Amino acid sequence: DVFKLFVINVFDFISINFFQLRVINIFDFIGTNLFQLCVINLFDFIRIDHFRGFSAYWEIPASEPTAQNGRWAQSPGSELFVTLSRRFAGLPFIAEDLGVIDAEVRELKREFAFPGMTILQFAFGAEKSKHAPHLHVPHSVAYTGTHDNNPVLEWFRSESSEHEREA
């Protein structure tokens, strides 16, 4: 079988906060029926890119020329997922949990039983990488790379180390 995957960028949701709307109101605006028709019924899985943004996001004052003087701001967290889980049984979300992931993000993932991700291209560069195949945990999805990486063959040919190619 071929699975269909849809990627939602969390910043599309979070940016609504800057206009003084709550994330939860997005579904009042577009309607959960439209969400079901356009996303839930068309795709087997929905990967939420930048999932950590549902726990906290980096807020930067509009007057700042760079992101350096930003701060972590709390996101609505589970509100969106509670609303969706009331309407749809078994949310098919995959949480992109790469990068700096804190206890709150892990708890949010656990609360809704969302699988996380492992990336094979990250598996062989560092010792004891959680991405090494023998360290993959149950309830996770393995990808060869991400949209930030070269495709795996190009990575192997031009970016991998001799140690990585031997592994």
Side-chain angles (χ1 to χ4, degrees):
D1 287 339
V2 174
F3 292 102
K4 299 176 294 267
L5 175 68
F6 181 74
V7 178
I8 294 176
N9 189 325
V10 71
F11 295 112
D12 293 338
F13 289 114
I14 297 300
S15 64
I16 298 298
N17 283 339
F18 299 126
F19 298 104
Q20 304 302 311
L21 294 174
R22 292 168 50 103
V23 170
I24 209 67
N25 289 338
I26 291 171
F27 290 94
D28 293 336
F29 180 71
I30 65 170
T32 54
N33 289 331
L34 181 61
F35 181 75
Q36 179 179 16
L37 177 65
C38 295
V39 179
I40 297 284
N41 290 338
L42 293 179
F43 299 96
D44 297 302
F45 300 99
I46 301 166
R47 190 187 82 216
I48 302 176
D49 206 16
H50 305 287
F51 181 78
R52 76 122 34 255
F54 283 105
S55 173
Y57 61 95
W58 192 248
E59 182 179 70
I60 307 158
S63 60
E64 290 293 328
T66 71
Q68 186 174 6
N69 292 321
R71 68 176 184 88
W72 285 108
Q74 289 304 116
S75 292
S78 62
E79 280 186 71
L80 173 67
F81 304 119
V82 167
T83 299
L84 288 173
S85 63
R86 284 186 194 132
R87 180 83 163 95
F88 308 109
L91 296 176
F93 294 132
I94 298 167
E96 183 264 323
D97 57 348
L98 306 173
V100 179
I101 302 300
D102 58 20
E104 288 81 12
V105 177
R106 287 189 294 277
E107 175 57 25
L108 187 60
K109 220 177 71 169
R110 188 207 58 74
E111 180 182 350
F112 294 95
F114 295 153
M117 294 173 55
T118 56
I119 308 298
L120 290 175
Q121 287 182 15
F122 300 164
F124 307 105
E127 278 190 43
K128 297 188 179 180
S129 169
K130 78 168 195 162
H131 301 279
H134 67 284
L135 296 175
H136 288 184
V137 296
H139 202 57
S140 65
V141 179
Y143 288 80
T144 56
T146 73
H147 59 271
D148 296 319
N149 302 68
N150 267 328
V152 71
L153 182 58
E154 180 60 25
W155 169 83
F156 183 80
R157 288 178 177 163
S158 65
E159 295 178 28
S160 62
S161 68
E162 184 176 337
H163 169 74
E164 290 169 325
R165 285 189 296 276
E166 288 176 2

